[in-house]
């Protein structure tokens, strides 16, 4: 390709006529999609306003308003707000994170928009320093479905359509705002555990060249204290693929650079109470369907004399690193039942990797797994990790799961097994930790019986059902609803694949060639969170508060406390009922629940005065 051709293509990229926006869809002429660009843009900007008349009627100048974290605000649309609101008020516990969302929009361009946060000063004279308030720009990513869509069952959606969805959170100093666009800003107020109860007030000055607006914040800090995430009871299991981080950043897997990146990458998971460390005893267990293949953390080596030996160096490094970050309650090792029963090992004699298929229950399977489990058990006990380790089996034909579980238990009844899939009564007493697909669950009574036996039970969503879910096009409140449902049903927590199974360009494009956008990851490169992840975390905090308040309420005979607890319990009973997941109903359910938690917290605090 000569220089003239390159210049022509670069020039052409400025004039590609994308003519659809968030609420307007159209087929993309692939021949006109620019392959080259003059520079890398941090997000796509092909959308156009669906209501140009509304923008033309908009008053010139900078508009700023608080919105709600339960709604998405689109780049080319004037925010759907009843009025421009310059004040935000919220209530929370010591140790809790409160989220808000502000939106800036303008009919003409704005330069150097920046947010300047003051300290929050309490009515008791205490100060909540502004270093406890985090600001993140909300970036737009590509989705293969429009907002609120009922995604086709586990389908990637039409390849010729794309939609911009606000999701990725990114720290910022300032930003420019093109004319006829909006930009949400995510505001997180982290209440220190040592903060004195009371009401705190402060401001956020929003400034741009020639413009300035003052936003007002008021935070009511209640008497109760939320424990640090490492002490939460919620079992959060988000499957990780640390190789994705190495490959995205083009660093050597398990090098010092890779490990430094992983520590930052895992922080949001630890900060949300992440429970399980995902590890792999087999190479590429999930049908080679990831952009970045999950490698083996334990090298299986057949020696020249036909014996087996095992190299745990990567496994040990990752487990230790995750524990240092604060993820230290459980380790899952995947999997005795990989895709097509395919196992890879290194043949020491030839130096080649060999692939073999060992069906669960076969003589080859039993022989290998008894040898491996004996060695693995000794290694885990030497590390002090055996009691917190689970052998993980993912959804498979029932007969395979039963056969593998029996081989494991025959080796030692002390092994713990976790399984994610549909409810099967035959598996109930074989599994120490059972995670059910939403909609294919046992009765609430069965979950209670499992708990009485010392078993744990969780549930999950994946590329189905369409609702509730954590897609980039899912209404944000569904992420919070998920944990209210877990509490109401009696579950111990929630699981999802995956934490970080990124596609080719995750910073700008959440689509996958196989599944709905956002299905395969919840956080972005750089350890950056998302609206979806923050809403999921809100629900986890609600789950913790419910447990804590129930315990506190049991220790008082106050009638007002009892009445407030009864209202909360009655509200929880509405979650296991059949839902159509109308967005307004989901928002009302979680907001009502939050209000009831606030009321019960206040009632309990009043009894201690």
């Amino acid at each position: 390709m000569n220089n003239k051709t390159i210049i022509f293509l670069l020039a052409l990229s400025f004039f590609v006529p994308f003519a659809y926006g968030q609420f307007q869809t159209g087929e993309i002429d692939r021949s006109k999609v620019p392959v080259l660009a003059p520079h890398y843009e941090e997000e796509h900007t092909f959308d156009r306003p669906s209501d140009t008349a509304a923008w033309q009627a908009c008053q010139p100048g900078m508009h700023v308003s608080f919105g709600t974290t339960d709604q998405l605000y689109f780049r080319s649309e004037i925010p759907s707000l009843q009025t421009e609101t310059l004040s935000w008020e919220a209530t929370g516990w010591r140790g809790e994170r409160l989220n808000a969302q502000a939106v800036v929009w303008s009919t003409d361009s704005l330069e150097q928009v920046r947010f300047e946060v003051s300290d929050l000063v309490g009515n008791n004279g205490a100060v909540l320093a502004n270093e406890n308030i985090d600001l993140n720009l909300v970036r737009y990513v590509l989705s293969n479905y429009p907002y609120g869509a009922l995604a086709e069952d586990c389908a990637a959606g039409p390849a010729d359509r794309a939609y911009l969805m606000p999701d990725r959170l990114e720290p910022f100093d300032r930003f420019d705002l093109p004319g006829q666009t909006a930009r949400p800003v995510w505001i997180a107020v982290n209440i220190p555990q040592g903060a004195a109860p009371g009401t705190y007030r402060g401001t956020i000055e929003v400034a741009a060249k020639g413009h300035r607006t003052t936003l007002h914040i008021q935070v009511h800090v209640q008497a109760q204290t939320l424990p640090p995430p490492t002490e939460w009871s919620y079992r959060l299991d988000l499957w990780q693929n640390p190789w994705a981080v190495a490959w995205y950043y083009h660093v050597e897997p398990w090098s010092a650079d890779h490990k430094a990146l992983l520590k930052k990458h895992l922080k949001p998971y630890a900060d949300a109470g992440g429970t399980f460390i995902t590890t792999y005893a087999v190479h590429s267990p999930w049908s080679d369907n990831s952009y970045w293949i999950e490698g083996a953390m334990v090298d299986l080596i057949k020696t020249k004399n036909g014996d087996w030996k095992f190299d745990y160096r990567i496994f040990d490094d990752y487990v230790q690193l995750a524990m240092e970050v604060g993820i230290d309650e459980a380790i899952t090792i995947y999997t005795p039942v990989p895709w097509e029963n395919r196992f890879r090992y290194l043949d020491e004699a030839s130096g080649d990797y060999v692939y073999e298929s060992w069906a669960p229950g076969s003589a080859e399977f039993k022989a290998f797994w008894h040898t491996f489990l004996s060695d693995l058990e000794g290694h885990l006990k030497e590390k002090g990790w055996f009691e917190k380790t689970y052998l993980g089996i993912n959804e498979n034909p029932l007969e395979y799961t039963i056969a593998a579980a029996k081989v494991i238990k025959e080796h030692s009844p002390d092994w713990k097994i976790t399984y994610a899939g549909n409810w099967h009564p035959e598996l109930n007493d074989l599994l120490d930790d059972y995670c059910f697909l939403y909609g294919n669950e046992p009765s609430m009574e069965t979950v209670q019986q499992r708990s009485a036996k010392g078993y744990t039970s969780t549930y999950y969503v994946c590329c189905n059902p369409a609702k509730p879910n954590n897609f980039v096009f899912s209404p944000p409140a569904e992420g919070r609803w998920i944990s209210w449902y877990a509490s109401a049903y009696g579950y111990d927590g929630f699981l999802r694949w995956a934490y970080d199974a990124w596609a080719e360009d995750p910073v700008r494009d959440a689509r996958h060639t196989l599944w709905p956008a956002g299905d395969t990851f919840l956080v972005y490169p750089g350890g950056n969170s998302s609206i979806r992840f923050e809403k999921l975390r809100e629900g986890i905090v609600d789950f913790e508060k419910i447990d804590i308040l129930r315990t506190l309420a049991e220790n008082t005979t106050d009638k007002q406390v009892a009445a407030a607890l009864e209202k909360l319990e009655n509200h929880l009973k509405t979650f296991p009922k059949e839902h159509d997941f109308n967005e307004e109903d989901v928002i009302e359910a979680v907001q009502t629940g939050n209000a009831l938690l606030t009321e019960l917290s206040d009632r309990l605090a009043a009894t201690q005065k």
Side-chain angles (χ1 to χ4, degrees), residues 44 91 100 154 161 163 170 173 281 317 355 380 394 419 462 478 485 546:
H44 290 282
T91 300
C154 286
R161 298 194 177 187
Y163 308 84
E170 175 184 283
D173 173 62
D317 281 356
Y355 291 86
L380 291 170
N394 193 28
Y419 173 84
C462 54
E478 288 182 18
Y485 179 80
I546 291 168

Side-chain angles (χ1 to χ4, degrees), residues 277-420:
I277 305 168
T278 310
T279 68
Y280 303 92
V282 298
H283 179 78
S284 189
W286 316 134
S287 182
D288 300 338
N289 55 17
S290 299
Y291 275 73
W292 322 107
I293 295 298
E294 297 89 348
M297 290 182 173
V298 180
D299 266 346
L300 318 178
I301 304 166
K302 180 173 278 191
T303 65
K304 293 178 181 178
N305 62 10
D307 295 331
W308 289 101
K309 67 178 182 180
F310 308 97
D311 185 342
Y312 297 100
R313 283 177 293 179
I314 295 176
F315 174 84
D316 291 348
D317 281 356
Y318 187 62
V319 171
Q320 189 62 49
L321 185 149
M323 288 183 173
E324 289 173 4
V325 174
I327 310 158
D328 58 5
E329 187 174 334
I331 304 164
T332 307
I333 301 176
Y334 290 104
T335 171
V337 192
W339 175 71
E340 291 190 346
N341 305 315
R342 181 188 62 180
F343 293 88
R344 189 192 79 170
Y345 63 86
L346 180 66
D347 180 54
E348 196 173 58
S350 67
D352 296 331
Y353 281 112
V354 176
Y355 291 86
E356 294 198 24
S357 179
W358 302 328
S362 66
E364 296 87 351
F365 182 93
K366 288 181 179 179
F368 170 79
W369 276 94
H370 274 271
T371 300
F372 176 47
L373 290 176
S374 293
D375 195 82
L376 178 61
E377 181 179 4
H379 183 77
L380 291 170
K381 287 182 175 178
E382 181 182 339
K383 290 286 186 179
W385 298 340
F386 182 77
E387 295 300 325
K388 60 179 62 178
T389 296
Y390 293 78
L391 299 174
I393 304 175
N394 193 28
E395 48 193 339
N396 267 283
L398 180 60
E399 61 272 22
Y400 284 177
T401 303
I402 291 175
K406 286 183 175 178
V407 168
I408 293 167
K409 293 295 186 181
E410 283 171 6
H411 179 268
S412 171
D414 293 333
W415 283 110
K416 290 185 287 189
I417 304 174
T418 181
Y419 173 84

Side-chain angles (χ1 to χ4, degrees), residues 116-130:
E116 300 164 1
V117 185
S118 75
D119 292 337
L120 304 186
V121 180
N123 54 2
N124 49 16
V127 174
L128 200 163
N130 62 5

Side-chain angles (χ1 to χ4, degrees), residues 172-339:
F172 72 100
D173 173 62
R174 60 192 67 205
F175 60 91
D176 293 336
L177 186 74
Q180 295 193 6
T181 67
R183 176 65 62 181
V185 172
W186 194 266
I187 304 166
V189 179
N190 298 286
I191 305 173
Q193 288 188 312
T199 299
Y200 294 76
R201 296 177 179 86
T203 61
I204 299 178
E205 294 289 330
V206 184
K209 279 190 175 181
H211 304 278
R212 182 172 289 273
T213 299
T214 301
L215 299 177
H216 299 272
I217 297 177
Q218 185 167 285
V219 174
H220 304 283
V221 178
Q222 295 180 293
Q224 288 81 11
T225 301
L226 185 71
T230 52
E231 298 177 16
W232 293 354
S233 63
Y234 194 95
R235 293 175 72 84
L236 179 62
D237 188 2
L238 304 178
W239 293 3
Q240 310 114 53
N241 177 359
W243 282 270
V245 176
W247 285 323
Y248 180 83
Y249 285 101
H250 304 286
V251 298
E252 182 69 24
W254 309 110
S255 64
D257 287 342
H258 184 206
K259 292 174 184 177
L261 288 165
L262 282 173
K263 286 189 175 182
K264 183 177 181 182
H265 174 71
L266 289 173
K267 190 178 185 307
Y269 181 43
D271 194 42
T275 302
F276 287 82
I277 305 168
T278 310
T279 68
Y280 303 92
V282 298
H283 179 78
S284 189
W286 316 134
S287 182
D288 300 338
N289 55 17
S290 299
Y291 275 73
W292 322 107
I293 295 298
E294 297 89 348
M297 290 182 173
V298 180
D299 266 346
L300 318 178
I301 304 166
K302 180 173 278 191
T303 65
K304 293 178 181 178
N305 62 10
D307 295 331
W308 289 101
K309 67 178 182 180
F310 308 97
D311 185 342
Y312 297 100
R313 283 177 293 179
I314 295 176
F315 174 84
D316 291 348
D317 281 356
Y318 187 62
V319 171
Q320 189 62 49
L321 185 149
M323 288 183 173
E324 289 173 4
V325 174
I327 310 158
D328 58 5
E329 187 174 334
I331 304 164
T332 307
I333 301 176
Y334 290 104
T335 171
V337 192
W339 175 71

Side-chain angles (χ1 to χ4, degrees), residues 144-155:
N144 42 20
Y145 288 96
Y147 180 60
L150 289 171
E152 298 172 40
D153 189 31
C154 286

Side-chain angles (χ1 to χ4, degrees), residues 66-124:
F66 281 110
T68 169
T69 62
D70 289 324
Q71 184 175 338
L72 298 182
Y73 299 98
F74 298 101
R75 206 186 78 92
S76 59
E77 308 300 327
I78 294 178
S80 56
L81 301 167
Q82 295 288 340
T83 58
E84 293 183 29
T85 303
L86 301 181
S87 298
W88 173 73
E89 184 176 350
T91 300
W93 289 14
R94 296 182 289 181
E96 185 175 356
R97 177 185 301 165
L98 301 176
N99 294 316
Q101 190 169 205
V103 192
V104 182
W105 70 98
S106 177
T107 188
D108 41 34
S109 297
L110 300 176
E111 296 181 24
Q112 299 189 42
V113 182
R114 53 201 179 274
F115 281 47
E116 300 164 1
V117 185
S118 75
D119 292 337
L120 304 186
V121 180
N123 54 2
N124 49 16

